[in-house]
């Protein structure tokens, strides 16, 4: 049996599949539809310091090959998270990563500081890249501000791996990737959704109340893959920072592409709306793939993509 385990900067996972923040609630919402014990890790919906109602409906629109969402970070806020959700998270049969969002340095440091003291939280993912909120600062598109934020958060989170989730809505993602690592990020996750829109031609209005939203699903996969490959080749291959790749993963072959491009683990979001058991099926497929390739460990294939100009490998695989 090939070894699917991965080590994300000290965060040991039994396999490389995670859920994408915001696509599967806070904990047990999907328990009847997928085997949570077979997840590498569960990633919660973004938590903010204050409770948020989010945007007006319509907040979700289906598009060709994907979906647009403009939820606007609706969530229970830090206090209710600790009283209502943490008792459930303690019972989760897999490691839990809490995704934290905010609008100021204080927002982030207060919420992340609270996470540092919770044993049931294996790591924190910083959402610095939500394209669907109009209030507050944007950190994810500004390398200097992102480095500073990461540095401040790392100070209040000494005991847990810090994952910084990168926005694709930037000119050069390697600059924000480097900034996050310089600020102290232990792991990078990429990508969040792409800012996009959809129009109702009969009403001559945008379909989303927020006008724009974030595009996810299969439509973004080739772009997400390209961004992971770019960040891996130009940045993380040299710093040794693990990548959690995401964007349109629907099956094990998509996951395999992300792994070859440089992802140590792969997160699955929009596909859960079609088949909540997708992460479990991805694991099964990866086992078969590794077996056929005669590769013992999935970690041996991280970044194993051969590009023109690379030192040609011997052909170890059939
Ligand atoms: C309905 C919905 C809600 C989301 N909410 C969040 C969120 O709260 N925080 C966050 O960091 N990303 C959020 N995302 C982005 C996903 O975590 C992920 O980065 C993106 O959807 C790409 O992966 P996918 O194509 O597999 O869905 C959300 C995505 C969707 C579709």
């Amino acid at each position: 049996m090939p070894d699917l385990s991965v080590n994300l900067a000290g965060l040991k996972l039994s396999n490389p599949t995670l859920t994408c923040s915001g696509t599967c609630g806070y904990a047990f919402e999907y328990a009847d539809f997928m085997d949570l014990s077979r997840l590498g890790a569960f990633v919660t919906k973004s938590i903010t310091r204050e409770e948020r109602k989010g945007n007006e409906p319509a907040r979700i629109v289906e598009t060709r090959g994907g979906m647009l969402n403009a939820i606007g970070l609706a969530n229970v806020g830090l206090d209710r998270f600790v009283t209502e959700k943490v008792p459930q998270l303690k019972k989760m049969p897999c490691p839990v990563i809490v995704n934290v969002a905010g609008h100021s340095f204080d927002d982030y440091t207060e919420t992340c500081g609270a996470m540092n003291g919770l044993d049931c939280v294996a790591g924190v993912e910083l959402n610095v890249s939500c394209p669907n909120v109009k209030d507050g600062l944007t950190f994810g598109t500004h390398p200097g501000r992102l480095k500073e934020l990461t540095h401040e958060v790392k100070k209040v989170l000494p005991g847990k791996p810090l994952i910084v989730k990168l926005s694709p809505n930037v000119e050069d993602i390697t600059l924000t990737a480097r900034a996050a690592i310089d600020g102290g990020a232990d792991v990078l996750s990429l990508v969040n959704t792409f800012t996009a829109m959809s129009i109702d031609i009969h009403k001559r209005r945008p379909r989303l109340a927020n006008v724009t939203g974030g595009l996810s699903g299969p439509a973004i996969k080739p772009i997400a893959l390209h961004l992971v490959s770019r960040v891996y080749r130009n940045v993380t291959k040299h710093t040794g920072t693990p990548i959690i790749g995401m964007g349109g993963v629907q099956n094990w072959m998509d996951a395999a592409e992300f792994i070859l491009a440089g992802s140590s683990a792969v997160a699955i979001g929009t596909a859960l709306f079609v088949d909540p058991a997708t992460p479990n099926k991805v694991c099964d497929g990866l086992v078969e793939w590794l077996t056929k390739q005669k590769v013992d460990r999935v970690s041996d294939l991280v970044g194993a993509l051969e590009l023109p100009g690379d030192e040609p490998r011997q052909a170890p695989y059939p």
Side-chain angles (χ1 to χ4, degrees):
M1 185 78 168
D3 180 6
L4 285 191
S5 68
V6 294
N7 185 337
L8 300 178
L11 176 57
K12 295 198 176 96
L13 311 184
S14 62
N15 70 69
T17 60
L18 293 85
T19 54
C20 283
S21 174
T23 60
C24 47
Y26 297 100
F28 282 99
E29 287 88 336
Y30 271 58
D32 291 340
F33 310 103
M34 76 160 96
D35 184 351
L36 294 169
S37 71
R38 289 188 63 209
L39 274 178
F42 178 89
V43 183
T44 70
K45 169 80 193 152
S46 281
I47 310 296
T48 52
R49 183 161 64 166
E50 316 297 341
E51 184 167 349
R52 288 177 60 96
K53 275 173 55 190
N55 295 329
E56 293 300 314
R59 311 203 287 194
I60 289 202
V61 171
E62 192 169 343
T63 60
R64 208 174 301 137
M67 70 187 271
L68 270 176
N69 88 84
I71 308 291
L73 293 179
N75 79 98
V76 295
L78 177 58
D79 288 347
R80 283 184 58 201
F81 176 76
V82 171
T83 52
E84 294 171 24
K85 307 297 177 189
V86 165
Q88 295 176 16
L89 292 182
K90 285 183 179 161
K91 297 183 203 147
M92 283 288 273
C94 64
V96 173
I97 293 167
V98 174
N99 181 298
V100 172
H103 303 289
S104 66
F105 285 90
D106 290 348
D107 271 358
Y108 279 101
T109 52
E110 191 175 321
T111 312
C112 292
M115 297 307 144
N116 195 54
L118 296 171
D119 286 345
C120 61
V121 177
V124 168
E125 179 178 61
L126 280 195
N127 177 4
V128 290
S129 50
C130 183
N132 308 320
V133 285
K134 295 200 176 76
D135 46 343
L137 288 175
T138 323
F139 292 94
T141 50
H142 191 291
R145 218 182 276 154
L146 181 59
K147 179 177 166 188
E148 203 186 337
L149 176 72
T150 310
H151 183 67
E152 292 304 310
V153 168
K154 194 64 199 159
K155 281 199 257 180
V156 299
L157 201 68
K160 314 227 187 244
L162 175 60
I163 304 159
V164 174
K165 182 167 181 177
L166 299 179
S167 170
N169 301 308
V170 290
E171 199 177 305
D172 183 354
I173 197 164
T174 65
L175 298 182
T176 42
R178 261 194 210 100
I181 294 168
D182 288 348
D186 301 301
V187 179
L188 298 180
S189 59
L190 58 148
V191 289
N192 209 317
T193 52
F194 290 77
T195 305
M197 74 188 291
S198 171
I199 293 173
D200 182 328
I201 54 167
H202 305 293
K203 296 182 182 154
R204 300 185 205 166
R205 286 196 189 134
R207 285 209 166 88
L208 289 168
N210 190 57
V211 181
T212 58
L215 183 65
S216 62
I220 70 170
K221 197 201 85 182
I223 324 178
L225 199 56
H226 162 65
L227 294 174
V228 165
S229 177
R230 233 172 97 65
V231 169
Y232 176 75
R233 285 284 167 150
N234 293 298
V235 185
T236 63
K237 191 177 173 186
H238 311 290
T239 59
T241 316
I243 292 178
I244 302 169
M246 69 188 92
V249 173
Q250 279 197 301
N251 53 44
W252 71 266
M253 290 164 284
D254 295 336
E257 284 190 77
F258 273 92
I259 290 165
L260 291 172
S263 304
S264 297
V266 177
I268 296 151
T270 301
L272 299 175
F273 295 102
V274 182
D275 180 1
T278 305
N280 301 157
K281 292 178 181 170
V282 165
C283 276
D284 296 339
L286 289 178
V287 166
E288 265 184 53
W289 178 51
L290 292 174
T291 308
K292 279 202 189 116
Q293 298 268 311
K294 297 187 172 47
V295 176
D296 294 333
R297 287 173 301 269
V298 71
S299 54
D300 292 342
L301 292 181
V302 174
L305 173 71
E306 191 176 315
L307 292 181
D310 284 352
E311 188 79 18
R313 285 172 221 275
Q314 290 180 325
Y317 314 124

